[in-house]
Amino acid sequence: MTTTTATHCPYCALQCAMNLTDDAGSVTVAGREFPTNRGGLCKKGWTSAELLSSPERILEPMLRQPDGSFAGATWDEALDLIAARLADGRAEHGADSVGVFGGGGLTNEKAYQLGKFARLALGTSRIDYNGRFCMSSAAAAGNRAFGLDRGLPFPVEDLDAASTILILGSNVAQTMPPFIGHLEGARSAGGLIVVDPRRTATARLTENGAGSHVQPTPGTDLVLLLGLINVVINEKLVDLDYIDRRTIGFDELRRSVGQWWPERVQAETGVPVRQLRDLARRLAAGGGTYILTGRGVEQHVDGTDTATAAINLSLILGLVGTSHSGYGTLTGQGNGQGGREHGQKCDQLPGYRKITDPAARAHVAGVWGVHPDSIPGAGIPAVELLASMGEPGGIRTLLVHGANVVVSAPNAERVRAGLAALDFLVVCDFFFSETAALADIVLPVTQWAEEDGTMTSLEGRVIRRRTAVTAPAGVRSELWIFHELARRLHAPSTFGTDPAEVFDELCRASAGGPADYSGLSYGLLDTGEAAYWPYPAGSTGTPRLFQDRFQHADGRARIHPVRARGADAPAQQGGILTLITGRLLEHYQSGAQTRRVPELAQARPEARLQLHPATAAQLGVVDGGWVDVTNARGVVRCRAEVTVDIRHDTVFLPFHFPGEQSANRLTADRTDPVSGMPEFKRTTVRVRALAGEERGAHV
Ligand code: SF4
């Protein structure tokens, strides 16, 4: 029998719509009409069904043996052992010795249940997730300025009518290709402006009169934005009426940016004064202007301040919450939005509530049927949580769901050492990811097409993921795993296994919170309703936020002045280069999935270090030749890709690859003090060309 099921892509937050057709076990993908992708898919989406029948799939629980190998076990054996070790660990070292690490790819139902499981079944505050590496700075800035964080506070299609779109630090042409269809209006008006140290595929969309590419020195985005604000204020391009009616803090901002006159900004960023002034004037010209930020400007130790500066610029231009204009941030992971709303963040309860808020605790405790005091307090963010592994008073047992921290976390070798120092590591995955390979127990879980659930896209729209194929007999949904472990641990409350029931409970828990889903149900979502949160019971949802008021009590946005840190030593001094890391079209996140899709792996089988021809010549590096990229934290050994698309003082590595090609061997685990975001986008390294005989040396 042939069945066709309407669902969405398993990968990025654009959540392109697709039809999956199962013809006697042969599954094919077709793009489906939907506002974000208009029937289009990228390579990752087209090939996504291949992993359902991958020969590398884990099909039964795997237990590490005394000799280090893995052997299959029954589910009862595995779950009994896990429950016993969790109970022993808690009894011996306290509840906070058990850590939980979640993922931005989990469905809303799983993210919700994981947070509840950690707090009630394990009694631990030590839960966080890999969205900390992705969206945390933009989220912190949104909460700071608007009192609410929803990546795009407007539907993606609103961008179609824009005449000017400024994209800061996002390579959408490679990370979410169907999105670029929404840039066409701005391109045809000559108004697509891309800020990126590299001439990426997105930056190339500005060529031939379609806009402009601004190529600042890495790590100077905040100065660039302060310079733009300076020009906008000094050239009287601000929207004073909007500022008076809708914001607080403009006078302080005006005083704070006085020191960033254009010539000084040029000296720091390398962006010419004329380009800076032209850009400010273009943004203020009207006709529909949007400012969008991405990880390129957010993954820094001042990422929250940089996103805040982009918001400040948007506010003084009167762009936010007005028709045909706006500010937004481009979420990366598939459920990066929903994953940060329902409780897997260390400081959060469902509905985007603060775990430190007594009223929020009382509400959620009421839904869970427990006393508010039984819910632990705030935990610690992801980088800190991982750094505590093996440390006195730190994590001794870790459960990992939907994350591959050995590849995706900064300072990866330190993370690897921390995982090795644990008493007990459990990983839920489809494959032996690099993190699963280090586990004591690996639990095989269902993939996206084998289960129901909901995801929340980059525009805050809740969508249905549907069961399209039957899961292999030996795998289980995480919801079932949480249920079984909670039962063995005699946890209070209930842990449902039916996604629709869990969603209903999530909706009740979110009622009255910032991310209110209480008017939603699977029944409503199945009608095709465009369900943008907040969607309180009795409402029809909120496609466009901030039309009348912001979420602060007085309804006004906060213009929060921010300061740039002092300029660091220029790159290339003494042979030092600035490394930035990022994504390739063919791969997703740590590559644990896409590296197993033959077509994608063949197209991009390895990491290559991008560097400028002048830099390559200086270092004796040839295109395709082997190099060592080093700093105090580690060494990456890979081939070079010599390209004019990058600045001479900058090199680039994709972060999808493991082992000796893992870019995160080099990145530091210092973080933004507000958001906990690591600085992935600015690492100092040296590059050395390898002689042929050195290539074989062990790294
Ligand atoms: Fe669409 Fe993103 Fe999937 Fe590509 S990876 S098909 S852009 S959802």
CSV table of all heavy atoms in Angstrom, one decimal, residues 488-516:
chain,number,residue,atom,x,y,z
A,488,ARG,N,10.1,3.8,37.1
A,488,ARG,CA,11.1,3.0,37.9
A,488,ARG,C,11.6,3.9,39.0
A,488,ARG,O,12.1,3.4,40.0
A,488,ARG,CB,12.2,2.6,37.0
A,488,ARG,CG,11.9,1.4,36.1
A,488,ARG,CD,12.9,1.2,35.0
A,488,ARG,NE,12.8,-0.1,34.3
A,488,ARG,CZ,11.9,-0.3,33.3
A,488,ARG,NH1,11.1,0.7,32.9
A,488,ARG,NH2,11.8,-1.5,32.7
A,489,LEU,N,11.7,5.2,38.8
A,489,LEU,CA,12.2,6.1,39.8
A,489,LEU,C,11.1,6.6,40.8
A,489,LEU,O,11.4,7.5,41.7
A,489,LEU,CB,12.9,7.3,39.2
A,489,LEU,CG,14.2,7.0,38.4
A,489,LEU,CD1,14.5,8.2,37.5
A,489,LEU,CD2,15.3,6.7,39.4
A,490,HIS,N,9.9,6.1,40.6
A,490,HIS,CA,8.8,6.4,41.5
A,490,HIS,C,8.6,8.0,41.5
A,490,HIS,O,8.4,8.6,42.6
A,490,HIS,CB,9.0,5.9,42.9
A,490,HIS,CG,9.4,4.5,43.0
A,490,HIS,ND1,8.5,3.5,42.6
A,490,HIS,CD2,10.5,3.9,43.3
A,490,HIS,CE1,9.1,2.3,42.7
A,490,HIS,NE2,10.3,2.5,43.1
A,491,ALA,N,8.6,8.5,40.3
A,491,ALA,CA,8.5,10.0,40.2
A,491,ALA,C,7.0,10.4,40.5
A,491,ALA,O,6.1,9.7,40.2
A,491,ALA,CB,8.9,10.4,38.8
A,492,PRO,N,6.8,11.6,41.0
A,492,PRO,CA,5.5,12.1,41.1
A,492,PRO,C,4.9,12.5,39.8
A,492,PRO,O,5.7,12.5,38.8
A,492,PRO,CB,5.6,13.3,42.0
A,492,PRO,CG,7.0,13.8,41.8
A,492,PRO,CD,7.8,12.6,41.5
A,493,SER,N,3.7,12.9,39.7
A,493,SER,CA,3.0,13.3,38.4
A,493,SER,C,2.9,12.2,37.4
A,493,SER,O,3.2,11.0,37.7
A,493,SER,CB,3.7,14.5,37.8
A,493,SER,OG,2.9,15.1,36.8
A,494,THR,N,2.5,12.5,36.2
A,494,THR,CA,2.4,11.5,35.2
A,494,THR,C,3.3,11.9,34.0
A,494,THR,O,3.6,13.0,33.8
A,494,THR,CB,0.9,11.4,34.7
A,494,THR,OG1,0.5,12.7,34.3
A,494,THR,CG2,0.0,10.9,35.7
A,495,PHE,N,3.7,10.9,33.3
A,495,PHE,CA,4.6,11.1,32.1
A,495,PHE,C,4.0,10.3,30.9
A,495,PHE,O,4.2,9.2,30.7
A,495,PHE,CB,6.0,10.6,32.4
A,495,PHE,CG,6.7,11.5,33.4
A,495,PHE,CD1,6.6,11.4,34.7
A,495,PHE,CD2,7.5,12.5,32.9
A,495,PHE,CE1,7.2,12.2,35.6
A,495,PHE,CE2,8.2,13.4,33.8
A,495,PHE,CZ,8.0,13.2,35.2
A,496,GLY,N,3.1,11.0,30.2
A,496,GLY,CA,2.3,10.4,29.1
A,496,GLY,C,3.2,10.0,28.0
A,496,GLY,O,4.3,10.6,27.8
A,497,THR,N,2.8,9.0,27.2
A,497,THR,CA,3.5,8.6,26.0
A,497,THR,C,2.9,9.0,24.7
A,497,THR,O,3.4,8.8,23.7
A,497,THR,CB,3.6,7.0,26.1
A,497,THR,OG1,2.3,6.5,26.1
A,497,THR,CG2,4.4,6.6,27.3
A,498,ASP,N,1.6,9.5,24.8
A,498,ASP,CA,0.9,9.9,23.6
A,498,ASP,C,1.3,11.4,23.3
A,498,ASP,O,0.9,12.3,24.2
A,498,ASP,CB,-0.6,9.7,23.8
A,498,ASP,CG,-1.4,10.3,22.6
A,498,ASP,OD1,-0.8,10.6,21.6
A,498,ASP,OD2,-2.6,10.4,22.8
A,499,PRO,N,1.9,11.7,22.2
A,499,PRO,CA,2.3,13.1,21.9
A,499,PRO,C,1.1,14.1,22.0
A,499,PRO,O,1.3,15.2,22.5
A,499,PRO,CB,2.9,13.0,20.5
A,499,PRO,CG,3.3,11.6,20.3
A,499,PRO,CD,2.3,10.8,21.1
A,500,ALA,N,-0.1,13.7,21.6
A,500,ALA,CA,-1.2,14.6,21.6
A,500,ALA,C,-1.5,15.0,23.1
A,500,ALA,O,-1.9,16.1,23.4
A,500,ALA,CB,-2.4,14.1,20.9
A,501,GLU,N,-1.5,14.0,23.9
A,501,GLU,CA,-1.8,14.2,25.4
A,501,GLU,C,-0.7,15.1,26.0
A,501,GLU,O,-1.0,16.0,26.8
A,501,GLU,CB,-1.8,12.9,26.1
A,501,GLU,CG,-3.2,12.2,26.1
A,501,GLU,CD,-3.1,10.8,26.8
A,501,GLU,OE1,-2.3,10.7,27.7
A,501,GLU,OE2,-3.8,9.9,26.3
A,502,VAL,N,0.5,14.8,25.7
A,502,VAL,CA,1.6,15.6,26.2
A,502,VAL,C,1.5,17.0,25.7
A,502,VAL,O,1.7,18.0,26.5
A,502,VAL,CB,3.0,15.0,25.9
A,502,VAL,CG1,4.1,15.9,26.3
A,502,VAL,CG2,3.1,13.6,26.4
A,503,PHE,N,1.1,17.2,24.5
A,503,PHE,CA,0.9,18.5,23.9
A,503,PHE,C,-0.2,19.3,24.7
A,503,PHE,O,0.0,20.5,25.0
A,503,PHE,CB,0.6,18.5,22.4
A,503,PHE,CG,0.6,19.9,21.8
A,503,PHE,CD1,1.8,20.6,21.6
A,503,PHE,CD2,-0.6,20.4,21.4
A,503,PHE,CE1,1.7,21.9,21.0
A,503,PHE,CE2,-0.6,21.7,20.8
A,503,PHE,CZ,0.5,22.4,20.6
A,504,ASP,N,-1.3,18.6,25.0
A,504,ASP,CA,-2.4,19.2,25.7
A,504,ASP,C,-1.9,19.7,27.1
A,504,ASP,O,-2.2,20.8,27.6
A,504,ASP,CB,-3.6,18.3,25.8
A,504,ASP,CG,-4.3,18.1,24.5
A,504,ASP,OD1,-4.1,18.9,23.6
A,504,ASP,OD2,-5.1,17.1,24.4
A,505,GLU,N,-1.1,18.8,27.7
A,505,GLU,CA,-0.6,19.2,29.0
A,505,GLU,C,0.4,20.4,28.9
A,505,GLU,O,0.3,21.3,29.7
A,505,GLU,CB,0.2,18.0,29.6
A,505,GLU,CG,0.7,18.2,31.1
A,505,GLU,CD,1.5,17.1,31.6
A,505,GLU,OE1,1.0,15.9,31.6
A,505,GLU,OE2,2.6,17.3,32.1
A,506,LEU,N,1.3,20.4,27.9
A,506,LEU,CA,2.2,21.5,27.6
A,506,LEU,C,1.4,22.8,27.5
A,506,LEU,O,1.7,23.8,28.0
A,506,LEU,CB,3.0,21.2,26.4
A,506,LEU,CG,3.9,22.2,25.8
A,506,LEU,CD1,4.9,21.5,24.8
A,506,LEU,CD2,3.3,23.3,25.0
A,507,CYS,N,0.3,22.7,26.7
A,507,CYS,CA,-0.6,23.9,26.5
A,507,CYS,C,-1.1,24.4,27.8
A,507,CYS,O,-1.1,25.6,28.0
A,507,CYS,CB,-1.7,23.5,25.5
A,507,CYS,SG,-1.1,23.2,23.8
A,508,ARG,N,-1.6,23.5,28.7
A,508,ARG,CA,-2.1,23.9,30.0
A,508,ARG,C,-1.0,24.6,30.8
A,508,ARG,O,-1.2,25.6,31.4
A,508,ARG,CB,-2.7,22.8,30.7
A,508,ARG,CG,-4.0,22.3,30.1
A,508,ARG,CD,-4.8,21.4,31.1
A,508,ARG,NE,-4.1,20.3,31.7
A,508,ARG,CZ,-3.9,19.1,31.1
A,508,ARG,NH1,-4.4,19.0,29.9
A,508,ARG,NH2,-3.2,18.2,31.6
A,509,ALA,N,0.2,24.0,30.8
A,509,ALA,CA,1.3,24.5,31.5
A,509,ALA,C,1.8,25.8,31.0
A,509,ALA,O,2.3,26.7,31.8
A,509,ALA,CB,2.5,23.5,31.5
A,510,SER,N,1.6,26.1,29.7
A,510,SER,CA,2.0,27.4,29.1
A,510,SER,C,1.0,28.5,29.3
A,510,SER,O,1.3,29.6,29.1
A,510,SER,CB,2.3,27.2,27.6
A,510,SER,OG,1.1,27.1,26.9
A,511,ALA,N,-0.2,28.1,29.7
A,511,ALA,CA,-1.3,29.1,29.8
A,511,ALA,C,-0.9,30.3,30.6
A,511,ALA,O,-0.5,30.1,31.8
A,511,ALA,CB,-2.6,28.5,30.3
A,512,GLY,N,-1.1,31.5,30.1
A,512,GLY,CA,-0.8,32.7,30.8
A,512,GLY,C,0.7,33.1,30.8
A,512,GLY,O,1.1,34.2,31.2
A,513,GLY,N,1.6,32.2,30.2
A,513,GLY,CA,3.0,32.5,30.1
A,513,GLY,C,3.3,33.4,28.9
A,513,GLY,O,2.4,33.5,28.0
A,514,PRO,N,4.5,33.8,28.7
A,514,PRO,CA,4.8,34.6,27.5
A,514,PRO,C,4.6,33.8,26.2
A,514,PRO,O,4.1,34.3,25.3
A,514,PRO,CB,6.3,34.9,27.7
A,514,PRO,CG,6.5,34.9,29.2
A,514,PRO,CD,5.6,33.8,29.7
A,515,ALA,N,5.0,32.5,26.2
A,515,ALA,CA,4.7,31.7,25.1
A,515,ALA,C,3.5,30.8,25.4
A,515,ALA,O,3.6,29.6,25.8
A,515,ALA,CB,6.0,30.8,24.7
A,516,ASP,N,2.4,31.4,25.2
A,516,ASP,CA,1.1,30.8,25.6
A,516,ASP,C,0.6,30.0,24.4
A,516,ASP,O,0.3,30.5,23.4
A,516,ASP,CB,0.1,31.9,26.0
A,516,ASP,CG,-1.2,31.3,26.6
A,516,ASP,OD1,-1.5,30.2,26.3
A,516,ASP,OD2,-1.8,32.0,27.4
